[in-house]
Amino acid sequence: DAGITQSPRHKVTETGTPVTLRCHQTENHRYMYWYRQDPGHGLRLIHYSYGVKDTDKGEVSDGYSVSRSKTEDFLLTLESATSSQTSVYFCATSPGLATNEQFFGPGTRLTVL
Amino acid sequence: GENVEQHPSTLSVQEGDSAVIKCTYSDSASNYFPWYKQELGKRPQLIIDIRSNVGEKKDQRIAVTLNKTAKHFSLHITETQPEDSAVYFCAASRQGGSYIPTFGRGTSLIVHP
């Protein structure tokens, strides 16, 4: 569990403000993902990265951008937060070898007022 | 793309009973099927997975079965205990780190003492 951390763990912000969430891993995993979790919707993929500076969109990418300048860090930015982006955000990593097993961070609870 | 349906959304059982959660998938090329458990306020964690070259896999009180012809797989928990109470997610993908699992919407399992 200690290999993947997220910051902040909780955040309250106002509509229209930019927000950046950070995921940090010490596992040297190649793949990193951002999900949002909402009741009744399970885990929905926002963006993912398959290497440094290589990212792609998931199914719910509108209003979000990402960056990965180092193997260990994957940043998720809400360019202008809206109330519909109130959610719990999970970062996950995967070694990128023969396994697809995902290892999740502890989550960030974001509230947009 | 892959589509994963998971049922039921909520499952309530008495301690000691068995619980079964079912998932169907749409992409016949999928060959990796993990199950994740998420306790309240915690991160999802892999509890068991199955690959398409086997039909059943067991690990103590949990088992997963796979029917590739029908494109469905199930999680079986025997002799349920209160600590089994959690949300369970199924997922499906092709095996290999470059493939991203598609998750079901989750099943909330409640085990009553």
Side-chain angles (χ1 to χ4, degrees), chain A residues 1-5 9 31 33 35 37 40-43 45 48 90 94-107, chain B residues 31-32 34 36 38 41-47 49 51 87 89 92-106:
Chain A
D1 285 0
I4 304 169
T5 57
R9 294 292 315 280
Y31 293 89
Y33 314 84
Y35 291 92
Q37 183 175 31
H41 291 277
L43 294 161
L45 183 67
Y48 64 100
F90 284 98
S94 180
L97 300 171
T99 178
N100 310 58
E101 180 180 355
Q102 295 196 330
F103 299 84
F104 286 84
Chain B
N31 56 6
Y32 175 68
Y36 289 82
Q38 184 181 26
K42 304 288 188 180
R43 71 190 77 191
Q45 291 189 299
L46 181 75
I47 55 171
D49 58 19
R51 289 165 172 78
V87 177
F89 293 98
S93 74
R94 300 184 195 188
Q95 191 170 329
S98 61
Y99 297 105
I100 303 169
T102 299
F103 286 88
R105 294 191 175 195

Side-chain angles (χ1 to χ4, degrees), chain B:
Chain B
E2 178 64 275
N3 182 50
V4 177
E5 299 284 342
Q6 182 172 349
H7 298 281
S9 57
T10 305
L11 180 58
S12 183
V13 300
Q14 289 296 128
E15 183 176 359
D17 288 350
S18 295
V20 181
I21 302 169
K22 299 181 179 181
C23 290
T24 60
Y25 62 99
S26 61
D27 186 352
S28 56
S30 289
N31 56 6
Y32 175 68
F33 307 94
W35 286 88
Y36 289 82
K37 175 183 180 182
Q38 184 181 26
E39 296 176 358
L40 188 63
K42 304 288 188 180
R43 71 190 77 191
Q45 291 189 299
L46 181 75
I47 55 171
I48 195 168
D49 58 19
I50 191 168
R51 289 165 172 78
S52 62
N53 56 341
V54 296
E56 184 176 6
K57 183 176 179 180
K58 290 184 179 179
D59 182 2
Q60 300 183 338
R61 294 186 298 106
I62 62 173
V64 58
T65 58
L66 171 64
N67 183 328
K68 283 218 72 179
T69 302
K71 294 207 281 263
H72 68 70
F73 57 111
S74 300
L75 179 70
H76 304 255
I77 306 174
T78 58
E79 300 172 22
T80 54
Q81 301 168 5
E83 51 265 38
D84 294 328
S85 295
V87 177
Y88 292 81
F89 293 98
C90 64
S93 74
R94 300 184 195 188
Q95 191 170 329
S98 61
Y99 297 105
I100 303 169
T102 299
F103 286 88
R105 294 191 175 195
T107 296
S108 177
L109 174 64
I110 303 165
V111 181
H112 299 280

